[in-house]
Amino acid sequence: MNREKDMMEVPEGRGFVQTMDRRDFLKLTGSGLLVLCSVDPLLGQSAPVAATQRGATDFNSFLHIGADGRVTCLVGKVELGQGVMTSLPQLAAEELGVSLASVDIVMGDTDLCPTDRGTFGSLSIRMLGPTLRAAAAEARAVLVQMAAEQLKLPITDLEVRNGVVSSKSAPSKHISYGELTAGKRIERRLDGQAVLKKVGAFTIMGQSAPRRDALEKVTGKAKYAGDIAPSGALYACILRPPSHGAKLLRADTSSAEALPGVRVVRDGELIAVLHPHRDEATRALALIKAMYSPSPSRLTHETIFEHLKKVAPEARATGSRGSLADGEKAAAQIVEQTYLKGYVAHAPIETHSAIAMVEQGKVTVWAGTQTPFPLKTQIARALNIAPEKVRVITPYVGGGFGGKSASMQGIEAARLAMATGKPVRVVWSREEEFFFDTFDPAAVIQIRAGLDAAKRIVFWDNTIIGAGERGSALFYDVPNHRTAVRGGWNGNPADMHPFAVGPWRAPGANANVFARESHMDVLAAKAGMDPVEFRLRNLTDARMRRVLEAAAKNFGWSPKPAPSGRGFGVACGDDAGTYVATMAEVKVDKSTGKIQVVRVLCAQDMGIVVNPEGAAQQMEGCITMGLGYTLSEEVQFKDGVVLDTNFGTYDLPRFSGVPRIETVILDSPDLAPQGGGEPAIVTTGAVLANAVFDAVGARVVQLPMTPARVKSAMKG
Amino acid sequence: MRVISFSLNGVDRKLTVDETRTLLWVLRDDLGLTGTKFGCGESVCGACTVLLNNEAVRACATPMSAVEGKRVVTIEGLAHDEHLHPVQEAFVKHLGFQCGFCTSGMIMGAHALLLKNPKPTRSQIINEMEPHLCRCGAHVRIVQAIESASAVIAGGAR
Ligand code: FES
Ligand code: FES
């Protein structure tokens, strides 16, 4: 499938991120056909029987068809930029047999949408998608059945086009969905029997439907949490400690309070300065004289790796096969290497923002969050009120990448709104964003592996500290292996990291794939083989072979053992059900150690593709974002202080560093749609490390590959 | 406090404000123009880019005193009578955005570039846009969008 396919010209359906209120909603769903569906988050498929027994609130999406023929999907997912506001309606429109323009979507509103755990893990299309499709297929079946009764025709004689059911033999006999549902209230629960359309019959899925958020985003009209402005709203700037672990001893707020229009609120440990203008609130905050105890932490971004090795929890085996001892015996060559990666920030351009308002005992919070429903529960708990008294609305979110799974700012805004009786907005500064970010954890990954005389991998012993298991499973043929994990992005002992860590786009997989695919190249070099041929020799997984071969063909890879001087690299990975193979070309300035990435090509098998242009956009975004953790991004800290407070020292990828990017999406009609928001990022570290090795013969084993690290690797 | 007179999106305005306050927050909080975004507050992300007398400036680092007597154009002032500006149109066509949070600043930065140089080379585009950050990684398409807007503008469509 070629991503250059022209965009389909379709008038837009609407996407509501915040404009519908409860009354509109009741009016909307008061009549018509409502399909409730449930998805088991663990199985990733609809679990109809269990769902019907779990009671009326336990479903994950609604699909509603109104008397005007308009279709509304209500989902708890949010639009972070990944494009689900556009692709989810495509699924519904396809299965229902209606035009895309007649499908609206309401997202991330806890009063209107069914409960959802959050928008992360590339789950929207992969997990919610099948449910939504099934709901739409079920609705179509119900409507066709009703049409058959009304038209007195057999179902086999009926077909659906653009929301109209008509007779194949006598096309003048027809009835629209709107006419069928008018004045009725029909409620259906998905029973799992719905029959989905086959790929060959798709007319809407598989097309690059234009993004619904485009017009609002290019005109500045798109509203994010910080843009919602109820009258009388105050900004809150909150007093923050200088370091993690520091405790507030005393605070003198008198000079801040003396400023005109400033109000200071103390609610337990929370001290905030409020003013209608954010810049004036910021100025007042600077006037607070606060004393803190020093942080007990003595760690730095350099000493952290030794610390992790010491304090990480006991190893937990996540995969094993055969016997490592047998493998060692069979090995002709053994290579052992430790790979390191520092902490990486999420750094969305929109900082954590929220606004909270209390009206008649009900708290409404607009928040830039990936988890509106968990946030609702947290707010209710913090305020000690019933969850029904809290509504979280998620407008457009200015990037998340896992970092907005934690939404402390929403709780802060709610507490301060409660305390003042006024609408209160909290918009974190960039410094607060760096301080409270739940970083991608630093990792230490050890791999010891051996080759037999035939250059086949005979054992693989992998110990992962900090990164968890995602991305570490072996798709290569290895008869004897063991993978053990000591800590991941959650569930760690309290003293493991000096600050919060959390999920970061394909959590842990970036570190694990960097280590595995670097080590594959180390082995290939040991074997004196071309890195692609070496992988293929050790790979029977047909799906991965196909992806790798597609990458090689499109890239124009010709076999040569590394270092060939060409600066070519390869890496394979699997994530969220999707397989990727990435190839890159780099130039290395030998005097400075600076890497310039010339070209990156990524081939991907993601099953059925819902929106090819959207999928390519996600792949490009992954590759571009991946340049950061690979080349320049590493959080610097010392004694509990996060030294990076803004983008002046913390280097995100920029225009000059972005290479030519090519994406190849393989035709894969027999596999349901898989994840698209994360897979293509996991290979970036290794593909570039391998390309650097191919260019200059230096193996960089620590991310990011800063010029200094490249130079020191070149010295050997 | 001082009266500041300036033109905002083609309309003359007089505001009584503390002239040390920044244009960014005056636009957002006092004037309700929320299309201009806050991303860093220190002139290092480009999200707050607006035009001051046709030059791209960072609104977060522009005190109101510097606005006196000048022409300010924000993202809200770019489309005319429901017609998108060619730069906006190109961003839609090439999908030069994902989350959209950097987009206002990107579009204003690109617009300023094309005003002074309607036919920039690729490397001039990259140079000019270098200070603008996009965390979603829409860079490749943003460059394509600017090239295509340049072709339209230099081609005399507007
Ligand atoms: S907010 Fe002004 S440059 Fe970042
Ligand atoms: S589109 Fe999200 S930051 Fe650029």
Side-chain angles (χ1 to χ4, degrees), chain A residues 120-469:
Chain A
F120 45 69
S122 294
L123 294 171
S124 299
I125 293 293
R126 194 157 52 112
M127 300 294 189
L128 181 58
T131 318
L132 200 57
R133 282 177 72 191
E138 169 80 13
R140 183 179 53 176
V142 169
L143 290 160
V144 169
Q145 173 69 46
M146 288 166 69
E149 285 158 19
Q150 293 232 357
L151 299 173
K152 303 198 178 19
L153 289 168
I155 285 178
T156 46
D157 182 43
L158 297 177
E159 63 180 358
V160 182
R161 206 168 293 151
N162 281 335
V164 177
V165 189
S166 46
S167 159
K168 289 185 222 165
S169 55
S172 62
K173 293 189 187 160
H174 56 77
I175 186 163
S176 73
Y177 282 179
E179 288 164 325
L180 285 166
T181 58
K184 301 195 188 72
R185 170 98 169 96
I186 312 152
E187 196 169 308
R188 284 298 237 230
R189 249 168 204 285
L190 208 55
D191 64 1
Q193 304 303 311
V195 181
L196 301 185
K197 273 196 193 170
K198 293 268 176 305
V199 176
F202 288 169
T203 56
I204 297 171
M205 280 170 68
Q207 302 291 316
S208 293
R211 287 184 70 124
R212 293 176 174 222
D213 48 357
L215 204 61
E216 285 178 296
K217 285 182 177 175
V218 302
T219 52
K221 291 198 183 112
K223 294 274 189 245
Y224 300 80
D227 301 333
I228 311 289
S231 68
L234 298 173
Y235 274 99
C237 287
I238 299 168
L239 184 69
R240 304 297 190 186
S243 58
H244 287 277
K247 293 265 171 304
L248 181 65
L249 302 174
R250 58 185 167 272
D252 174 1
T253 57
S254 53
S255 326
E257 263 159 312
L259 286 186
V262 168
R263 179 162 172 191
V264 174
V265 172
R266 280 184 183 239
D267 176 7
E269 82 299 354
L270 180 69
I271 300 181
V273 175
L274 294 97
H275 190 281
H277 303 140
R278 188 171 184 287
D279 45 354
E280 302 200 59
T282 311
R283 277 184 205 176
L285 181 69
L287 296 179
I288 296 185
K289 295 182 212 58
M291 283 274 294
Y292 285 87
S293 67
S295 165
S297 173
R298 288 295 160 268
L299 296 168
T300 75
H301 51 275
E302 278 155 359
T303 62
I304 189 70
F305 302 106
E306 286 311 309
H307 167 79
L308 290 179
K309 284 193 223 166
K310 258 184 262 148
V311 306
E314 289 278 288
R316 172 175 63 88
T318 57
S320 76
R321 183 180 169 194
S323 134
L324 288 180
D326 290 354
E328 294 240 11
K329 262 184 246 140
Q333 289 170 307
I334 293 175
V335 199
E336 184 169 353
Q337 182 63 58
T338 299
Y339 300 90
L340 305 176
K341 187 186 133 299
Y343 294 93
V344 178
H346 294 90
I349 304 300
E350 178 200 37
T351 60
H352 280 66
S353 307
I355 177 149
M357 197 164 82
V358 186
E359 271 175 337
Q360 289 144 14
K362 176 135 185 179
V363 184
T364 303
V365 181
W366 288 263
T369 178
Q370 293 179 246
T371 51
F373 290 86
L375 177 59
K376 167 183 159 152
T377 313
Q378 289 158 15
I379 291 171
R381 212 176 295 142
L383 300 181
N384 201 13
I385 57 176
E388 312 81 78
K389 295 281 180 204
V390 180
R391 176 185 189 185
V392 175
I393 303 175
T394 318
Y396 285 118
V397 183
F401 319 110
K404 288 176 186 163
S405 293
S407 309
M408 186 169 87
Q409 90 285 10
I411 304 168
E412 292 171 341
R415 282 175 66 182
L416 290 164
M418 239 358 173
T420 59
K422 297 255 185 186
V424 173
R425 58 213 320 200
V426 172
V427 174
W428 283 2
S429 67
R430 184 51 62 184
E431 183 170 0
E432 287 172 287
E433 190 74 22
F434 272 109
F435 191 82
F436 289 113
D437 194 2
T438 51
F439 297 126
D440 185 30
V444 179
I445 301 175
Q446 294 150 326
I447 303 179
R448 185 176 148 83
L451 297 177
D452 66 10
K455 296 169 184 177
R456 283 182 209 280
I457 305 167
V458 282
F459 80 94
W460 185 277
D461 187 4
N462 185 7
T463 302
I464 299 160
I465 300 173
E469 65 180 291

Side-chain angles (χ1 to χ4, degrees), chain B residues 24 37-48 58-60:
Chain B
L24 171 64
K37 300 299 184 205
F38 163 78
C40 72
E42 293 180 8
S43 242
V44 287
C45 79
C48 65
R58 311 288 175 237
C60 71

Side-chain angles (χ1 to χ4, degrees), chain B residues 2-150:
Chain B
R2 180 180 145 193
V3 180
I4 309 274
S5 310
F6 63 108
S7 140
L8 177 60
N9 294 331
V11 178
D12 287 337
R13 303 293 297 245
K14 261 193 202 349
L15 278 188
T16 307
V17 287
D18 172 348
E19 78 257 34
T20 63
R21 285 185 58 208
T22 59
L23 177 58
L24 171 64
W25 295 108
V26 172
L27 284 173
R28 291 184 55 83
D29 294 345
D30 302 35
L31 301 168
L33 295 181
T34 55
T36 304
K37 300 299 184 205
F38 163 78
C40 72
E42 293 180 8
S43 242
V44 287
C45 79
C48 65
T49 304
V50 298
L51 260 58
L52 194 62
N53 279 5
N54 282 350
E55 292 280 338
V57 296
R58 311 288 175 237
C60 71
T62 305
M64 285 308 290
S65 56
V67 171
E68 171 65 45
K70 305 256 173 71
R71 277 172 292 123
V72 176
V73 180
T74 69
I75 188 74
E76 290 90 349
L78 213 52
H80 279 296
D81 321 317
E82 304 291 299
H83 290 299
L84 293 184
H85 185 275
V87 177
Q88 292 172 309
E89 234 158 44
F91 269 69
V92 172
K93 177 157 170 244
H94 292 274
L95 294 177
F97 63 90
Q98 289 183 25
C99 79
F101 206 77
C102 69
T103 311
S104 299
M106 291 283 181
I107 289 177
M108 296 314 286
H111 175 44
L113 165 67
L114 297 179
L115 279 178
K116 57 180 186 219
N117 179 4
K119 277 191 186 168
T121 62
R122 180 170 274 241
S123 75
Q124 284 170 329
I125 293 175
I126 287 170
N127 231 1
E128 180 75 16
M129 301 308 287
E130 188 72 352
H132 289 261
L133 298 176
C134 172
R135 187 46 154 174
C136 298
H139 301 71
V140 172
R141 287 165 188 263
I142 291 171
V143 173
Q144 283 167 5
I146 298 173
E147 285 176 334
S148 116
S150 154

Side-chain angles (χ1 to χ4, degrees), chain A residues 588-593 692-693 696-701 706-716:
Chain A
V588 180
D589 182 328
K590 288 189 184 147
S591 62
T592 62
V692 168
F693 179 77
V696 295
R699 174 59 53 189
V700 187
V701 294
T706 57
R709 285 183 187 140
V710 173
K711 273 182 84 171
S712 99
M714 283 192 311
K715 284 194 201 107

Side-chain angles (χ1 to χ4, degrees), chain A residues 381-605:
Chain A
R381 212 176 295 142
L383 300 181
N384 201 13
I385 57 176
E388 312 81 78
K389 295 281 180 204
V390 180
R391 176 185 189 185
V392 175
I393 303 175
T394 318
Y396 285 118
V397 183
F401 319 110
K404 288 176 186 163
S405 293
S407 309
M408 186 169 87
Q409 90 285 10
I411 304 168
E412 292 171 341
R415 282 175 66 182
L416 290 164
M418 239 358 173
T420 59
K422 297 255 185 186
V424 173
R425 58 213 320 200
V426 172
V427 174
W428 283 2
S429 67
R430 184 51 62 184
E431 183 170 0
E432 287 172 287
E433 190 74 22
F434 272 109
F435 191 82
F436 289 113
D437 194 2
T438 51
F439 297 126
D440 185 30
V444 179
I445 301 175
Q446 294 150 326
I447 303 179
R448 185 176 148 83
L451 297 177
D452 66 10
K455 296 169 184 177
R456 283 182 209 280
I457 305 167
V458 282
F459 80 94
W460 185 277
D461 187 4
N462 185 7
T463 302
I464 299 160
I465 300 173
E469 65 180 291
R470 186 156 163 183
S472 68
L474 283 172
F475 40 76
Y476 298 110
D477 314 326
V478 183
N480 308 293
H481 70 79
R482 182 199 71 115
T483 301
V485 169
R486 301 178 56 200
W489 60 265
N490 60 1
N492 296 312
D495 63 346
M496 188 157 155
H497 299 287
F499 28 57
V501 297
W504 193 101
R505 204 168 192 174
N510 295 306
N512 281 323
V513 176
F514 165 63
R516 184 193 61 229
E517 293 297 301
S518 292
H519 211 67
M520 285 301 286
D521 263 40
V522 170
L523 291 172
K526 226 359 175 218
M529 281 184 74
D530 169 73
V532 173
E533 288 186 338
F534 176 74
R535 281 176 174 74
L536 289 171
R537 170 166 305 199
N538 287 283
L539 184 63
T540 44
D541 182 322
R543 199 173 155 219
M544 189 58 87
R545 284 186 74 93
R546 180 170 168 248
V547 176
L548 178 55
E549 281 161 355
K553 178 167 160 268
N554 285 279
F555 186 82
W557 183 282
S558 57
K560 248 186 199 176
S564 72
R566 297 178 298 185
F568 285 3
V570 58
C572 302
D574 63 329
D575 190 76
T578 289
Y579 277 31
V580 295
T582 307
M583 293 191 165
E585 179 185 348
V586 302
K587 284 196 169 36
V588 180
D589 182 328
K590 288 189 184 147
S591 62
T592 62
K594 194 174 174 324
I595 300 165
Q596 179 73 35
V597 186
V598 179
R599 186 183 165 205
V600 174
L601 180 140
C602 182
Q604 172 165 308
D605 174 355

